[in-house]
Amino acid sequence: MTLELDDLRVRSLGDCRYDSPFAEVLASKRTSPHYVHEDDRVLVDDTVSVLLSRGVPIEALPSLEAAGPRRRIYFDPDATSVGIVTCGGLCPGLNDVIRGIVQELTEHYRVAHIYGFRNGFAGLTSQHRERVVELDLDAVRDINNDGGTILGSSRGDQDPEEMVDTLVERGIDVLFVVGGDGSMRGAMRITREIDARGLDIAVIGIPKTIDNDLPYTDQSFGFQTAFAQATAFIASVFIESQAAENGVGIVKLMGRHSGFIACYAALSNNDADFVLIPEVPFVLDGPNGVLRRVEDHVRRHGQVVVVVAEGAGQDLLEQEGETTDASGNTKLGDIGLFLKERLTEHLTSVDLPPTVRYLDPSYAIRSVPANAYDSVYCVRLAHAAVHAGMAGRTETVVVRWRRRFVHVPMPLITSHRNQVDPDGDLWMSVLEATGQPMSFEP
Ligand SMILES: Nc1ncnc2c1ncn2[C@@H]1O[C@H](COP(=O)(O)OP(=O)(O)O)[C@@H](O)[C@H]1O
Ligand SMILES: O=P(O)(O)OC[C@H]1O[C@](O)(COP(=O)(O)O)[C@@H](O)[C@@H]1O
Ligand SMILES: [Mg+2]
């Protein structure tokens, strides 16, 4: 993988001219196993073989700027106005992030104004810009107890010129965009327009994806909450299938291009016998196909549980042309219902008429409040985002990478998708736990 140090440098609006409220506390800090100094950097790679293969001196190895408070900051807090927008699909923890940003900006930096734009990027258009809400400590009190986002969200394309007009009209100095790959592409278009006009506005991204499909982040916030929810649905179909004759439990889970939710949920209570994900192709028919394998399992155990990610096996479905949603995301065929139909047909034909229990929990796994672990993660990301913005970083995303909070340039976070590696140890764990074959190919 070619990755140059220069690709990993984040942009800054300029020199930091003001003392940070954290200056005193940071004065004596040095890098330790538990703290990375603001001038130090975090390595991208973590194995000796990859580091050696880079073939460059240590200081030229791919590395990321550490996140966290700075001794000096770019914006004068008294004269700073901030905007927050949440975009794309919901994810547990969005309210925790909003709350964390508002609390940090209010209690430590004491900025002049914090505005929330309603319903994603749509809230920055001329049509909706009047619906902006001013956010203070009262406005965010207890919002973390609820799922969703108090600001609302949306998909769909918006004009960057109009959005930047709104930022200028409101006097926004720092815009926080909480969203997925689409939102980060949208945020980059905003920064391009800001650059074209020579404006002094920072844009900071906080990566949100329930599918965990953004690269350079260990695991996205809300993911743990979501797969824990999914686990409960798998447990239900397991119990149901156990009590029925030739019981077949099928759970379809979110995961458009990445099967992380399916893998983690399946591993969590180990009730699944087959896990099907977009990254690992399979066939249904033939001696090694899924149908025969499931049949064998039902013959031996009297029941079976199949977990399928929504993006799996799309090549098996007949699609009427490729359709996309408002944001340009591919709309998928329903692999869950297709599997249900084909398995019912097949098991009936081999004299194992099944009792099928099919669940598609869909939005039920992402509309819940974050669990305690994700809440902690969200608040720490929010703090890191605020520090980055106040220090004048722009076109920058705050992430946790190999357990350190770091800054990643936006173009890099949209450069590719994080997916389950069929040769990696996660998929190996799934194969070990389920006992399913390594391949369903003929
Ligand atoms: N390629 C793109 N360029 C600019 N904006 C985009 C792009 N893709 C998506 N967006 C905008 O980002 C927002 C969220 O994108 P979407 O794909 O729906 O969710 P997510 O951010 O979760 O991936 C939408 O308003 C959408 O118009
Ligand atoms: O119905 P919606 O709101 O478009 O969202 C559904 C889709 O969003 C996803 O959750 C992906 O969104 P994120 O990764 O951005 O959170 C898919 O798994 C799912 O199919
Ligand atoms: Mg997306």
Side-chain angles (χ1 to χ4, degrees):
M1 181 178 57
T2 56
L3 193 57
E4 302 297 329
L5 186 51
D6 281 343
D7 302 331
L8 299 161
R9 292 195 195 283
V10 293
R11 287 180 54 198
S12 288
L13 290 174
D15 292 337
C16 290
R17 299 162 292 187
Y18 301 93
D19 273 337
S20 146
F22 293 90
E24 206 178 307
V25 96
L26 294 175
S28 59
K29 282 200 180 286
R30 299 281 169 271
T31 291
S32 75
H34 308 289
Y35 176 78
V36 188
H37 189 269
E38 63 178 278
D39 299 328
D40 204 348
R41 295 180 69 87
V42 173
L43 289 177
V44 171
D45 309 311
D46 67 351
T47 59
V48 172
S49 59
V50 173
L51 286 170
L52 285 174
S53 73
R54 300 278 183 198
V56 294
I58 288 178
E59 61 278 10
L61 284 168
S63 61
L64 296 159
E65 182 176 74
R70 266 50 194 166
R71 286 160 297 175
R72 306 267 293 166
I73 53 178
Y74 181 77
F75 289 106
D76 172 8
D78 288 340
T80 296
S81 292
V82 163
I84 309 176
V85 63
T86 53
C87 314
L90 293 186
C91 183
L94 285 164
N95 281 334
D96 299 69
V97 172
I98 296 168
R99 183 169 176 257
I101 293 174
V102 172
Q103 286 178 334
E104 186 72 10
L105 286 167
T106 308
E107 290 171 347
H108 295 288
Y109 287 97
R110 301 186 188 283
V111 300
H113 295 285
I114 310 171
Y115 299 106
F117 295 101
R118 306 267 321 156
N119 295 108
F121 286 138
L124 283 154
T125 58
S126 54
Q127 201 189 343
H128 299 294
R129 65 174 64 127
E130 295 313 318
R131 297 175 60 212
V132 69
V133 284
E134 187 134 13
L135 296 171
D136 57 16
L137 291 178
D138 275 344
V140 299
R141 182 161 296 127
D142 299 337
I143 62 170
N144 51 311
N145 294 330
D146 294 322
T149 155
I150 56 159
L151 296 178
S153 189
S154 68
R155 301 199 189 268
D157 206 13
Q158 315 299 341
D159 176 14
E161 286 185 31
E162 251 182 65
M163 294 196 277
V164 174
D165 286 345
T166 303
L167 298 180
V168 172
E169 195 176 278
R170 283 281 165 191
I172 300 294
D173 301 290
V174 185
L175 177 67
F176 294 101
V177 179
V178 193
D181 56 334
S183 308
M184 295 305 134
R185 290 193 181 92
M188 284 197 293
R189 277 171 70 189
I190 293 175
T191 54
R192 276 200 290 279
E193 181 62 23
I194 289 169
D195 291 346
R197 296 191 199 182
L199 298 170
D200 214 19
I201 303 175
V203 179
I204 301 295
I206 297 150
K208 168 241 52 128
T209 158
I210 201 141
D211 290 351
N212 194 40
D213 60 3
L214 286 168
Y216 300 104
T217 172
D218 291 341
Q219 234 172 38
S220 43
F221 75 79
F223 172 73
Q224 197 192 77
T225 305
F227 83 71
Q229 289 291 115
T231 300
F233 291 91
I234 301 175
S236 303
V237 298
F238 174 73
I239 300 284
E240 286 282 340
S241 67
Q242 238 187 355
E245 195 165 350
N246 302 329
V248 176
I250 305 173
V251 181
K252 184 179 95 169
L253 294 171
M254 282 192 171
R256 221 192 277 263
H257 304 283
S258 304
F260 288 104
I261 295 176
C263 290
Y264 273 84
L267 282 171
S268 153
N269 56 4
N270 210 356
D271 284 339
D273 304 301
F274 294 89
V275 179
L276 304 173
I277 59 171
E279 296 89 336
V280 180
F282 57 90
V283 295
L284 289 183
D285 302 301
N288 296 321
V290 171
L291 300 180
R292 278 290 292 279
R293 299 292 190 166
V294 169
E295 174 195 328
D296 292 346
H297 196 281
V298 174
R299 278 193 201 289
R300 269 185 288 135
H301 303 280
Q303 50 106 234
V304 71
V305 171
V306 181
V307 173
V308 58
E310 63 182 327
Q314 290 296 304
D315 55 317
L316 307 174
L317 304 172
E318 273 177 35
Q319 305 256 44
E320 294 163 16
E322 189 160 281
T323 50
T324 54
D325 70 8
S327 291
N329 301 305
T330 308
K331 283 193 182 167
L332 302 173
D334 197 327
I335 186 67
L337 287 177
F338 179 71
L339 262 182
K340 178 185 174 197
E341 224 171 84
R342 292 296 313 272
L343 279 172
T344 307
E345 227 172 67
H346 178 78
L347 292 172
T348 307
S349 75
V350 294
D351 224 15
L352 293 168
T355 307
V356 182
R357 301 294 184 233
Y358 177 73
L359 286 179
D360 177 355
S362 186
Y363 303 114
I365 68 164
R366 74 174 194 191
S367 52
V368 296
N371 67 16
Y373 177 91
D374 275 329
S375 288
V376 172
Y377 187 12
C378 287
V379 81
R380 298 190 69 196
L381 275 173
H383 293 171
V386 168
H387 298 315
M390 292 306 290
R393 298 294 183 272
T394 191
E395 217 181 358
T396 294
V397 184
V398 291
V399 304
R400 189 160 61 179
W401 180 243
R402 309 209 191 284
R403 305 203 67 75
R404 309 277 197 183
F405 286 91
V406 293
H407 295 162
V408 175
M410 259 178 206
L412 212 64
I413 208 130
T414 52
S415 62
H416 62 280
R417 200 173 265 136
N418 187 34
Q419 289 191 298
V420 177
D421 182 351
D423 294 319
D425 61 353
L426 173 60
W427 187 242
M428 181 65 87
S429 294
V430 172
L431 296 179
E432 288 173 61
T434 57
Q436 78 184 57
M438 295 219 356
S439 160
F440 294 103
E441 297 294 344

